[in-house]
Amino acid sequence: MNMNEKEFHIALTGHRPDKLDGYNLSTKYYKKLHDSLASFIIRQVDERPDTLIWGHSGLALGADTVWAAAILTAKKHRPGRVKFFAEIPTLGQSNKWPSQTDKACWKAFVGQADDKKVYSDTYHGGVMQMRNKGMVDHCDVLLSLWDKTPGGTANATKYAESAGKKIVYINPNSFR
């Protein structure tokens, strides 16, 4: 990055698979979601010619995983203009996930990150909120894939609202 280039940080908070379209991320629903998110990043790149776009993902199953894939897709379409920042609650984040495919995907995403932050050495009750807060604090805009139900996505969105962050609300049902 040259000294005249600015940075623009985009984070996403969103639901786990049980509130979206299930655990099979190869459905039409997830393809539409991925393509929409990748297009959003590419639009940001094209609208900001002197700006490096950073996509931040918390790497949880569901929306975060699709978002991480979308960041990497946009990075391929706009080389040198998009960077991937992995916001990792703990390095053992995927340890209890039942699917070996999901664990391998998580590991691959971490390996492809241009930068990363690990919030804790071990899992504890507040680590996900620490990750969400850190991610929101660092972003210029938060994408909120939220159906208005309570949970981690609601907490992250409400924190972003209280911090005065720009939020783009996305209805998860719009990809059905």
Side-chain angles (χ1 to χ4, degrees):
M1 183 175 86
N2 69 47
M3 297 302 273
N4 295 326
E5 196 168 48
K6 297 176 266 192
E7 293 184 357
F8 188 77
H9 296 261
I10 307 167
L12 176 135
T13 186
H15 294 300
R16 301 293 193 277
D18 59 320
K19 287 188 177 179
L20 297 174
D21 198 42
Y23 286 84
N24 177 1
L25 296 183
S26 64
T27 66
K28 287 181 184 178
Y29 175 93
Y30 288 120
K31 172 87 170 104
K32 287 180 187 177
L33 175 59
H34 170 275
D35 292 351
S36 176
L37 295 173
S39 292
F40 179 85
I41 298 167
I42 290 168
R43 277 194 312 276
Q44 301 310 303
V45 170
D46 293 347
E47 290 172 7
R48 295 172 168 81
D50 294 326
T51 304
L52 180 65
I53 305 297
W54 281 90
H56 294 249
S57 175
L59 299 175
L61 289 172
D64 288 10
T65 303
V66 177
W67 172 239
I71 295 166
L72 293 172
T73 295
K75 187 176 172 178
K76 286 179 190 166
H77 287 280
R78 298 295 187 272
R81 300 290 316 285
V82 177
K83 298 285 184 180
F84 173 38
F85 196 110
E87 302 273 1
I88 305 168
T90 75
L91 289 175
Q93 180 178 15
S94 68
N95 285 354
K96 293 186 179 183
W97 296 356
S99 164
Q100 292 304 316
T101 302
D102 291 335
K103 289 179 183 183
C105 185
W106 183 90
K107 187 175 181 180
F109 284 147
V110 171
Q112 294 176 75
D114 296 293
D115 201 355
K116 61 184 171 243
K117 179 169 183 176
V118 179
Y119 286 86
S120 178
D121 292 333
T122 58
Y123 182 84
H124 57 83
V127 73
M128 300 307 254
Q129 187 60 24
M130 285 172 51
R131 186 268 325 264
N132 288 348
K133 185 178 181 301
M135 193 165 58
V136 168
D137 287 347
H138 202 178
C139 76
D140 296 297
V141 64
L142 177 71
L143 305 179
S144 177
L145 185 68
W146 180 36
D147 66 3
K148 306 296 184 194
T149 58
T153 301
N155 293 342
T157 303
K158 289 175 183 173
Y159 176 73
E161 289 170 347
S162 73
K165 295 291 181 171
K166 179 178 180 187
I167 303 170
V168 176
Y169 296 92
I170 304 168
N171 181 344
N173 294 319
S174 64
F175 302 98
R176 300 210 181 281

